[in-house]
Amino acid sequence: MFRSQSQQRLFGNIAVNGTLLILVLIWSLPTFGLLVSSFRPPELVRTTGWWTAFSSDEPISERLTLNNYREVLAGEDIVNADGTIIEASGDNLSNAFLNSLAVAVPATVIPILIAAFAAYGFAWMNFPGRKLLFTIVVGLLVVPLQIALIPLLQDYVSLGLTGTFLAVWLAHTGFGLPLATYLLFNYIVGLPREIIESAFVDGASHFTIFIRLILPLSLPALASFAIFQFLWVWNDLLVALVFIGSKPDVAVLTQALQEMVGSRGQDWHLLTAGAFITMILPLVVFFSLQRYFVRGLLAGSVKG
């Protein structure tokens, strides 16, 4: 007996949704286990599995604790009820978190602003060498950033910029500009020509058109690149190591986590807490801007 098309679609949707649910559970289960481990006391992490946090008969205050995050963020000692120190302090990720924020926000905003101006110029302004310059910008997408690190570092040393946030801002701006310009150009060039021409007829300048029309209409593309750039800068270790070095007062989160792995490689309760501290802000940024993400990625990919 043949099934109707509606039944086939129903079974197809159930199969697809069930498969996706299974894949999500498989992918998320280890991460959930690490999250639970980040709240467990160190002695339980060393001796039992994370799932025992839900099956044990002990009080929840003995199975889960905030001491791991307290020590990692504020560098506080873990102490027993009688006041004896279980584990000495040594980590202070709160300062590294603020440093990462001080690096990531300007290193995201600066290239977006510069690339938006450049993309508008390539899309709507006529000047000699426009196509050649745009070809060069697109060609820079295939240049590995690793080959530019040593020349940049030599220039930064001569200028006295090493070990400063400015050095990282400039580096990430330079490395992020080609992709930002390309993405924004594809979006801006696809905006309705009638709107731009009407603004010119009304006497608007290029700057007025850019501020009043282009930026508001390009919000999906701007948000899409902002996610890319922020996640790249926030999770970056290589550029931070090269241009910041070993200065603890300006070290970012990835450097602090690397130091924790080297000095506390057996302290899983601290490593998992530190890892989830680094994930909080990127998750907030992604979920806040995700409605623009796909729309911005597909901008300019379909014409007509």
Side-chain angles (χ1 to χ4, degrees), residues 248-289:
D249 55 329
V250 291
V252 295
L253 267 177
T254 50
Q255 291 177 283
L257 281 178
Q258 183 198 38
E259 179 65 25
M260 284 182 61
V261 171
S263 61
R264 296 175 176 264
Q266 303 301 318
D267 297 333
W268 284 101
H269 57 293
L270 298 182
L271 295 179
T272 53
F276 276 94
I277 289 172
T278 66
M279 293 169 56
I280 294 174
L281 193 56
L283 287 175
V284 172
V285 171
F286 180 80
F287 286 116
S288 299
L289 302 177

Side-chain angles (χ1 to χ4, degrees), residues 140-292:
L140 291 175
L141 288 171
V142 301
V143 178
L145 67 88
Q146 290 83 358
I147 68 173
L149 293 179
I150 293 179
L152 279 177
L153 182 61
Q154 292 174 343
D155 293 337
Y156 284 178
V157 170
S158 62
L159 295 174
L161 294 179
T162 54
T164 64
F165 291 151
L166 179 60
V168 186
W169 296 343
L170 294 177
H172 281 299
T173 297
F175 297 143
L177 272 177
L179 177 61
T181 304
Y182 179 70
L183 287 178
L184 295 178
F185 171 82
N186 284 340
Y187 191 90
I188 292 175
V189 77
L191 294 176
R193 178 176 295 273
E194 294 78 9
I195 298 178
I196 310 299
E197 291 177 348
S198 298
F200 279 124
V201 171
D202 292 338
S205 63
H206 282 294
F207 184 78
T208 302
I209 293 174
F210 177 78
I211 297 297
R212 299 288 183 86
L213 293 178
I214 300 301
L215 285 184
L217 293 174
S218 302
L219 186 59
L222 294 173
S224 177
F225 176 74
I227 294 175
F228 270 121
Q229 183 71 1
F230 184 87
L231 294 181
W232 166 258
V233 177
W234 186 267
N235 294 321
D236 170 73
L237 175 62
L238 178 61
V239 175
L241 283 177
V242 172
F243 297 119
I244 291 181
S246 58
K247 291 186 176 181
D249 55 329
V250 291
V252 295
L253 267 177
T254 50
Q255 291 177 283
L257 281 178
Q258 183 198 38
E259 179 65 25
M260 284 182 61
V261 171
S263 61
R264 296 175 176 264
Q266 303 301 318
D267 297 333
W268 284 101
H269 57 293
L270 298 182
L271 295 179
T272 53
F276 276 94
I277 289 172
T278 66
M279 293 169 56
I280 294 174
L281 193 56
L283 287 175
V284 172
V285 171
F286 180 80
F287 286 116
S288 299
L289 302 177
Q290 65 170 338
R291 56 178 175 168
Y292 301 112

